[in-house]
Protein backbone atom coordinates (compact mmCIF):
# COMPACT_ATOMS: atom_id res chain seq x y z
CA UNK A 1 0.00 0.00 0.00
CA UNK A 2 1.06 3.58 -0.62
CA UNK A 3 0.03 5.87 2.24
CA UNK A 4 0.07 9.52 1.26
CA UNK A 5 1.92 11.98 3.47
CA UNK A 6 1.83 14.30 5.42
CA UNK A 7 -0.21 12.84 8.28
CA UNK A 8 -2.82 14.27 10.63
CA UNK A 9 -2.44 12.18 13.78
CA UNK A 10 -5.76 11.16 15.38
CA UNK A 11 -5.58 9.75 18.92
CA UNK A 12 -9.23 10.14 19.96
CA UNK A 13 -9.86 10.06 23.69
CA UNK A 14 -7.39 7.34 24.73
CA UNK A 15 -6.93 6.73 28.44
CA UNK A 16 -3.11 6.92 28.65
CA UNK A 17 0.07 7.66 26.72
CA UNK A 18 0.76 3.98 25.94
CA UNK A 19 -2.58 3.70 24.15
CA UNK A 20 -1.27 6.28 21.65
CA UNK A 21 2.04 4.48 21.09
CA UNK A 22 1.47 4.03 17.35
CA UNK A 23 1.09 7.77 16.87
CA UNK A 24 3.92 8.51 19.29
CA UNK A 25 6.26 6.19 17.41
CA UNK A 26 5.50 7.87 14.10
CA UNK A 27 6.10 11.30 15.65
CA UNK A 28 9.38 10.20 17.26
CA UNK A 29 10.84 8.80 14.04
CA UNK A 30 9.00 10.74 11.31
CA UNK A 31 8.00 14.03 12.95
CA UNK A 32 8.43 15.93 9.70
CA UNK A 33 5.57 13.88 8.22
CA UNK A 34 3.08 15.07 10.88
CA UNK A 35 1.13 18.34 10.61
CA UNK A 36 -0.60 18.14 14.02
CA UNK A 37 -2.63 16.02 16.42
CA UNK A 38 -6.40 15.68 16.66
CA UNK A 39 -7.69 14.82 20.15
CA UNK A 40 -11.18 14.44 21.57
CA UNK A 41 -12.29 15.72 24.99
CA UNK A 42 -10.92 13.54 27.80
CA UNK A 43 -7.84 12.37 25.87
CA UNK A 44 -5.02 11.52 28.30
CA UNK A 45 -2.24 11.33 25.69
CA UNK A 46 -0.19 14.09 24.09
CA UNK A 47 2.14 13.65 21.10
CA UNK A 48 3.81 17.00 21.60
CA UNK A 49 2.27 18.30 18.37
CA UNK A 50 -0.02 21.28 18.00
CA UNK A 51 -3.72 20.47 18.44
CA UNK A 52 -5.60 21.07 15.20
CA UNK A 53 -9.01 20.22 13.81
CA UNK A 54 -9.63 18.57 10.45
CA UNK A 55 -10.02 21.86 8.60
CA UNK A 56 -6.71 23.16 9.89
CA UNK A 57 -5.01 19.82 9.21
CA UNK A 58 -6.10 19.98 5.58
CA UNK A 59 -4.99 23.61 5.34
CA UNK A 60 -1.54 22.51 6.54
CA UNK A 61 -1.32 19.97 3.74
CA UNK A 62 -2.34 16.71 5.41
CA UNK A 63 -3.17 13.94 2.96
CA UNK A 64 -3.96 11.11 5.39
CA UNK A 65 -5.49 10.94 8.86
CA UNK A 66 -3.72 8.21 10.80
CA UNK A 67 -5.66 6.46 13.57
CA UNK A 68 -2.60 6.13 15.76
CA UNK A 69 -3.92 4.16 18.74
CA UNK A 70 -3.79 0.65 20.13
CA UNK A 71 -6.36 -1.01 22.36
CA UNK A 72 -7.38 -4.49 23.50
CA UNK A 73 -8.79 -6.30 20.49
CA UNK A 74 -7.99 -3.44 18.09
CA UNK A 75 -11.59 -2.16 18.14
CA UNK A 76 -12.87 1.07 16.60
CA UNK A 77 -14.98 3.01 19.12
CA UNK A 78 -18.38 3.95 17.71
CA UNK A 79 -18.08 7.61 18.67
CA UNK A 80 -14.95 7.98 16.48
CA UNK A 81 -16.85 7.15 13.30
CA UNK A 82 -18.24 10.67 12.93
CA UNK A 83 -14.72 12.14 12.98
CA UNK A 84 -13.47 9.64 10.40
CA UNK A 85 -16.39 10.43 8.10
CA UNK A 86 -15.73 14.15 8.52
CA UNK A 87 -12.06 13.62 7.59
CA UNK A 88 -12.99 11.65 4.46
CA UNK A 89 -15.47 14.33 3.39
CA UNK A 90 -12.71 16.92 3.87
CA UNK A 91 -10.52 15.06 1.37
CA UNK A 92 -8.29 12.98 3.63
CA UNK A 93 -7.44 9.30 3.22
CA UNK A 94 -7.70 7.20 6.41
CA UNK A 95 -4.97 4.82 7.60
CA UNK A 96 -5.67 2.59 10.60
CA UNK A 97 -3.51 0.20 12.58
CA UNK A 98 -6.50 -1.34 14.37
CA UNK A 99 -7.70 -4.90 13.85
CA UNK A 100 -11.17 -3.63 12.95
CA UNK A 101 -11.37 -3.17 9.19
CA UNK A 102 -12.50 0.28 8.15
CA UNK A 103 -14.60 -1.36 5.42
CA UNK A 104 -16.71 -3.06 8.10
CA UNK A 105 -18.31 0.28 8.99
CA UNK A 106 -20.98 1.27 6.42
CA UNK A 107 -20.81 5.00 7.18
CA UNK A 108 -17.05 5.01 6.54
CA UNK A 109 -17.40 3.04 3.30
CA UNK A 110 -20.10 5.40 2.05
CA UNK A 111 -17.99 8.46 2.90
CA UNK A 112 -14.94 6.99 1.14
CA UNK A 113 -16.98 6.33 -2.00
CA UNK A 114 -18.56 9.77 -1.83
CA UNK A 115 -15.23 11.56 -1.52
CA UNK A 116 -13.12 9.20 -3.63
CA UNK A 117 -10.66 8.72 -0.77
CA UNK A 118 -8.61 5.65 0.20
CA UNK A 119 -8.97 3.41 3.26
CA UNK A 120 -5.78 1.71 4.48
CA UNK A 121 -5.81 -1.11 7.04
CA UNK A 122 -2.11 -1.31 7.88
CA UNK A 123 -2.46 -4.38 10.08
CA UNK A 124 -4.06 -6.45 7.32
CA UNK A 125 -1.87 -7.76 4.52
CA UNK A 126 -2.93 -9.03 1.12
CA UNK A 127 0.19 -11.23 1.12
CA UNK A 128 -0.33 -14.96 1.69
CA UNK A 129 2.20 -16.89 3.76
CA UNK A 130 3.34 -20.49 3.90
CA UNK A 131 3.86 -22.29 7.17
CA UNK A 132 7.33 -21.91 8.62
CA UNK A 133 9.92 -24.49 7.59
CA UNK A 134 12.85 -23.67 9.86
CA UNK A 135 15.34 -24.11 7.02
CA UNK A 136 18.60 -22.25 7.58
CA UNK A 137 18.78 -19.04 5.51
CA UNK A 138 21.81 -17.02 4.51
CA UNK A 139 22.44 -13.66 6.12
CA UNK A 140 22.28 -12.60 9.77
CA UNK A 141 19.35 -11.56 11.93
CA UNK A 142 18.77 -9.77 15.21
CA UNK A 143 15.48 -9.87 17.12
CA UNK A 144 14.37 -7.64 19.97
CA UNK A 145 12.53 -9.53 22.72
CA UNK A 146 10.93 -8.30 25.94
CA UNK A 147 10.06 -8.96 29.54
CA UNK A 148 6.65 -7.51 28.61
CA UNK A 149 4.73 -5.94 25.73
CA UNK A 150 4.74 -2.15 25.07
CA UNK A 151 8.24 -1.90 26.45
CA UNK A 152 10.49 -0.52 23.70
CA UNK A 153 11.23 -3.35 21.26
CA UNK A 154 10.43 -1.25 18.18
CA UNK A 155 12.45 1.76 19.38
CA UNK A 156 15.37 -0.50 20.22
CA UNK A 157 15.31 -2.16 16.79
CA UNK A 158 15.19 1.22 15.03
CA UNK A 159 18.01 2.56 17.18
CA UNK A 160 20.08 -0.56 16.47
CA UNK A 161 19.55 -0.25 12.72
CA UNK A 162 20.68 3.38 12.79
CA UNK A 163 23.75 2.69 14.93
CA UNK A 164 24.69 -0.45 13.01
CA UNK A 165 24.71 1.52 9.78
CA UNK A 166 26.77 4.24 11.45
CA UNK A 167 29.33 1.60 12.49
CA UNK A 168 29.56 0.14 8.98
CA UNK A 169 27.05 -2.72 9.13
CA UNK A 170 24.76 -3.58 6.22
CA UNK A 171 21.48 -3.55 8.17
CA UNK A 172 17.75 -3.10 7.56
CA UNK A 173 14.89 -2.68 10.02
CA UNK A 174 12.08 -5.21 9.53
CA UNK A 175 8.71 -4.04 10.85
CA UNK A 176 6.34 -6.56 12.43
CA UNK A 177 3.71 -4.16 13.76
CA UNK A 178 1.55 -1.35 12.49
CA UNK A 179 3.69 1.48 13.86
CA UNK A 180 6.86 0.09 12.34
CA UNK A 181 5.10 -0.24 9.00
CA UNK A 182 4.02 3.42 9.15
CA UNK A 183 7.63 4.38 9.95
CA UNK A 184 9.46 2.16 7.45
CA UNK A 185 6.90 1.84 4.68
CA UNK A 186 7.12 -1.95 4.64
CA UNK A 187 6.63 -4.99 6.86
CA UNK A 188 4.06 -7.45 8.18
CA UNK A 189 1.81 -6.95 11.20
CA UNK A 190 2.30 -10.44 12.60
CA UNK A 191 -0.39 -10.13 15.25
CA UNK A 192 -2.93 -10.14 12.41
CA UNK A 193 -1.50 -13.28 10.77
CA UNK A 194 -3.33 -16.57 11.35
CA UNK A 195 -1.43 -18.46 14.05
CA UNK A 196 -0.27 -21.35 11.85
CA UNK A 197 1.48 -18.91 9.50
CA UNK A 198 3.27 -16.52 11.91
CA UNK A 199 6.64 -18.24 11.62
CA UNK A 200 6.19 -18.42 7.84
CA UNK A 201 5.44 -14.71 7.72
CA UNK A 202 8.63 -14.02 9.66
CA UNK A 203 10.58 -16.19 7.22
CA UNK A 204 9.07 -14.26 4.30
CA UNK A 205 10.02 -10.97 5.99
CA UNK A 206 13.66 -12.06 6.50
CA UNK A 207 14.61 -14.06 3.38
CA UNK A 208 18.03 -15.24 2.22
CA UNK A 209 20.48 -12.36 2.14
CA UNK A 210 24.17 -11.63 1.68
CA UNK A 211 26.29 -13.38 4.33
CA UNK A 212 27.11 -10.12 6.15
CA UNK A 213 23.66 -8.52 5.86
CA UNK A 214 21.64 -8.02 9.07
CA UNK A 215 17.86 -7.95 9.29
CA UNK A 216 16.96 -6.12 12.50
CA UNK A 217 13.56 -7.55 13.40
CA UNK A 218 11.06 -5.67 15.55
CA UNK A 219 9.91 -7.95 18.37
CA UNK A 220 6.33 -8.39 19.61
CA UNK A 221 4.81 -9.35 22.95
CA UNK A 222 6.75 -11.53 25.38
CA UNK A 223 7.28 -15.26 25.81
CA UNK A 224 5.95 -14.77 29.35
CA UNK A 225 2.80 -12.79 28.52
CA UNK A 226 -0.35 -14.93 28.83
CA UNK A 227 -2.04 -13.01 26.01
CA UNK A 228 0.73 -12.67 23.44
CA UNK A 229 3.30 -15.42 23.95
CA UNK A 230 2.08 -17.27 20.86
CA UNK A 231 2.91 -14.36 18.56
CA UNK A 232 6.31 -13.97 20.23
CA UNK A 233 7.21 -17.63 19.80
CA UNK A 234 6.16 -17.73 16.14
CA UNK A 235 8.24 -14.64 15.43
CA UNK A 236 11.23 -16.12 17.27
CA UNK A 237 11.11 -19.37 15.32
CA UNK A 238 10.51 -17.69 11.96
CA UNK A 239 13.04 -14.87 12.22
CA UNK A 240 15.72 -17.41 13.17
CA UNK A 241 17.84 -14.79 14.99
CA UNK A 242 21.58 -15.13 15.43
CA UNK A 243 21.45 -12.41 18.07
CA UNK A 244 18.80 -10.91 20.32
CA UNK A 245 18.49 -7.93 22.64
CA UNK A 246 16.27 -8.09 25.73
CA UNK A 247 14.04 -5.04 26.34
CA UNK A 248 12.93 -4.27 29.90
CA UNK A 249 11.04 -1.66 31.96
CA UNK A 250 12.43 -1.69 35.52
CA UNK A 251 9.48 -0.12 37.36
CA UNK A 252 6.85 -2.66 36.31
CA UNK A 253 5.90 -5.51 38.62
CA UNK A 254 3.09 -7.06 36.58
CA UNK A 255 2.64 -7.44 32.84
CA UNK A 256 0.56 -4.93 30.93
CA UNK A 257 -3.15 -5.76 31.04
CA UNK A 258 -2.86 -8.93 33.13
CA UNK A 259 -1.98 -9.77 36.77
CA UNK A 260 0.95 -12.05 35.82
CA UNK A 261 4.21 -11.03 37.44
CA UNK A 262 6.99 -9.66 35.26
CA UNK A 263 9.73 -12.22 34.53
CA UNK A 264 13.36 -11.46 35.25
CA UNK A 265 15.76 -10.54 32.48
CA UNK A 266 17.62 -13.80 33.08
CA UNK A 267 14.41 -15.79 32.68
CA UNK A 268 13.79 -14.09 29.32
CA UNK A 269 17.36 -14.75 28.14
CA UNK A 270 17.18 -18.42 29.10
CA UNK A 271 13.72 -18.96 27.57
CA UNK A 272 14.66 -17.16 24.35
CA UNK A 273 17.80 -19.26 23.92
CA UNK A 274 15.97 -22.50 24.74
CA UNK A 275 13.15 -21.82 22.27
CA UNK A 276 15.28 -20.09 19.62
CA UNK A 277 17.66 -23.05 19.29
CA UNK A 278 14.90 -24.90 17.43
CA UNK A 279 15.67 -22.89 14.27
CA UNK A 280 19.10 -21.42 15.09
CA UNK A 281 21.34 -23.36 17.50
CA UNK A 282 23.80 -20.41 17.56
CA UNK A 283 21.36 -17.85 18.98
CA UNK A 284 22.81 -15.62 21.71
CA UNK A 285 21.98 -12.48 23.67
CA UNK A 286 24.13 -9.47 22.76
CA UNK A 287 22.73 -6.78 25.02
CA UNK A 288 19.94 -5.36 27.15
CA UNK A 289 17.83 -2.28 26.39
CA UNK A 290 16.15 -0.70 29.40
CA UNK A 291 13.31 1.80 29.16
CA UNK A 292 14.20 4.23 31.98
CA UNK A 293 11.61 6.86 31.13
CA UNK A 294 10.11 6.61 34.63
CA UNK A 295 13.49 7.25 36.32
CA UNK A 296 15.55 10.40 36.69
CA UNK A 297 18.98 10.32 35.06
CA UNK A 298 20.93 9.39 38.20
CA UNK A 299 18.56 6.54 39.00
CA UNK A 300 18.60 5.43 35.38
CA UNK A 301 22.40 5.19 35.29
CA UNK A 302 22.42 3.24 38.55
CA UNK A 303 19.78 0.85 37.22
CA UNK A 304 21.72 0.24 34.00
CA UNK A 305 24.96 -0.37 35.89
CA UNK A 306 23.28 -2.87 38.20
CA UNK A 307 21.77 -4.84 35.32
CA UNK A 308 25.01 -4.79 33.32
CA UNK A 309 26.95 -6.17 36.29
CA UNK A 310 24.35 -8.86 36.99
CA UNK A 311 24.06 -10.09 33.39
CA UNK A 312 27.54 -9.38 32.05
CA UNK A 313 26.12 -7.71 28.94
CA UNK A 314 26.16 -4.15 27.54
CA UNK A 315 23.10 -2.43 28.98
CA UNK A 316 21.65 0.91 27.90
CA UNK A 317 18.56 3.01 27.40
CA UNK A 318 18.43 3.42 23.59
CA UNK A 319 16.57 6.74 23.80
CA UNK A 320 18.69 8.36 26.52
CA UNK A 321 22.11 6.92 25.85
CA UNK A 322 22.06 5.20 22.45
CA UNK A 323 23.06 1.63 21.59
CA UNK A 324 26.69 2.06 20.51
CA UNK A 325 28.03 -0.36 23.12
CA UNK A 326 25.67 -3.13 22.02
CA UNK A 327 26.70 -2.66 18.39
CA UNK A 328 30.39 -2.67 19.38
CA UNK A 329 29.81 -6.05 21.04
CA UNK A 330 28.13 -7.30 17.86
CA UNK A 331 31.14 -6.14 15.83
CA UNK A 332 33.45 -8.07 18.13
CA UNK A 333 31.31 -11.20 17.88
CA UNK A 334 30.43 -11.21 14.19
CA UNK A 335 33.01 -9.14 12.30
Amino acid sequence: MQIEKPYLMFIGDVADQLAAKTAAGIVDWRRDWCVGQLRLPGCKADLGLEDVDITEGVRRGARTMVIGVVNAGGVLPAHWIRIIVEALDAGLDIASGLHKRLEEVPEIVEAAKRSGRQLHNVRLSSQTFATGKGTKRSGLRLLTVGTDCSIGKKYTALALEREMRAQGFDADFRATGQTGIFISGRGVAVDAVVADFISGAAEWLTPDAAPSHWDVVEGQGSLFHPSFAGVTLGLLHGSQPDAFVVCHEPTRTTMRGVPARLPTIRQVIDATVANGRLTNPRIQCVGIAVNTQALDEEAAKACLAEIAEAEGLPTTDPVRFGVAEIVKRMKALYA
Side-chain angles (χ1 to χ4, degrees):
M1 65 182 69
Q2 181 65 42
I3 302 174
E4 296 290 333
K5 302 179 285 291
Y7 299 152
L8 171 61
M9 307 304 301
F10 176 69
I11 54 176
D13 49 1
V14 296
D16 58 30
Q17 194 71 19
L18 268 178
K21 71 172 189 174
T22 293
I26 297 169
V27 172
D28 283 347
W29 294 92
R30 298 289 186 265
R31 193 181 189 93
D32 57 320
W33 293 358
C34 306
V35 304
Q37 67 181 4
L38 174 56
R39 299 189 290 175
L40 299 180
C43 183
K44 298 298 192 299
D46 188 345
L47 305 176
L49 299 173
E50 187 174 350
D51 288 297
V52 299
D53 59 17
I54 290 170
T55 300
E56 177 61 17
V58 171
R59 192 191 70 78
R60 294 184 179 196
R63 301 294 300 277
T64 301
M65 187 171 83
V66 173
I67 303 173
V69 304
V70 294
N71 56 43
V75 299
L76 177 64
H79 64 286
W80 292 3
I81 294 173
R82 177 185 60 81
I83 302 295
I84 295 170
V85 168
E86 182 182 341
L88 287 163
D89 285 338
L92 295 176
D93 293 342
I94 304 296
S96 170
L98 298 171
H99 285 290
K100 176 79 170 181
R101 291 180 63 90
L102 295 167
E103 291 86 353
E104 293 175 12
V105 183
E107 299 96 317
I108 292 175
V109 173
E110 291 170 10
K113 289 180 179 177
R114 182 169 63 241
S115 61
R117 307 319 304 165
Q118 299 294 313
L119 302 177
H120 301 291
N121 298 283
V122 176
R123 252 197 172 113
L124 305 174
S125 173
S126 59
Q127 176 71 35
T128 57
F129 304 105
T131 55
K133 301 299 187 291
T135 305
K136 179 61 179 172
R137 306 189 296 287
S138 58
L140 297 162
R141 291 158 193 87
L142 180 146
L143 176 68
T144 53
V145 302
T147 54
D148 196 3
C149 59
S150 302
I151 211 164
K153 294 181 287 292
K154 173 179 66 270
Y155 277 57
T156 299
L158 285 162
L160 284 164
E161 179 206 40
R162 183 167 58 192
E163 182 62 32
M164 289 170 73
R165 289 180 172 181
Q167 293 196 32
F169 283 78
D170 177 16
D172 288 305
F173 171 73
R174 301 302 185 193
T176 62
Q178 72 276 11
T179 311
I181 294 171
F182 277 122
I183 291 168
S184 70
R186 62 187 186 274
V188 178
V190 293
D191 63 356
V193 176
V194 174
D196 279 0
F197 304 100
I198 292 173
S199 61
E203 290 182 356
W204 176 87
L205 186 65
T206 58
D208 282 309
S212 62
H213 178 270
W214 282 88
D215 281 333
V216 184
V217 185
E218 173 192 7
Q220 297 292 333
S222 170
L223 287 174
F224 290 83
H225 200 293
S227 305
F228 310 119
V231 174
T232 309
L233 185 60
L235 185 56
L236 174 61
H237 286 159
S239 63
Q240 204 177 75
D242 299 274
F244 67 93
V245 171
V246 177
C247 303
H248 178 63
E249 207 286 1
T251 68
R252 295 189 194 181
T253 56
T254 59
M255 308 191 82
R256 183 164 169 79
V258 295
R261 289 195 61 78
L262 207 73
T264 65
I265 292 171
R266 177 48 52 180
Q267 285 176 316
V268 172
I269 292 173
D270 291 345
T272 302
V273 170
N275 286 284
R277 281 176 175 163
L278 177 69
T279 56
N280 190 344
R282 300 181 64 183
I283 185 174
Q284 61 180 317
C285 185
V286 296
I288 301 166
V290 184
N291 180 346
T292 64
Q293 185 176 21
L295 305 176
D296 62 34
E297 185 150 334
E298 183 177 348
K301 289 179 177 178
C303 174
L304 297 175
E306 181 180 353
I307 293 172
E309 182 177 0
E311 302 300 340
L313 291 164
T315 302
T316 186
D317 181 324
V319 175
R320 268 182 159 158
F321 307 118
V323 292
E325 293 305 312
I326 295 177
V327 176
K328 286 179 184 177
R329 179 177 177 85
M330 291 177 64
K331 186 170 286 190
L333 290 170
Y334 298 101

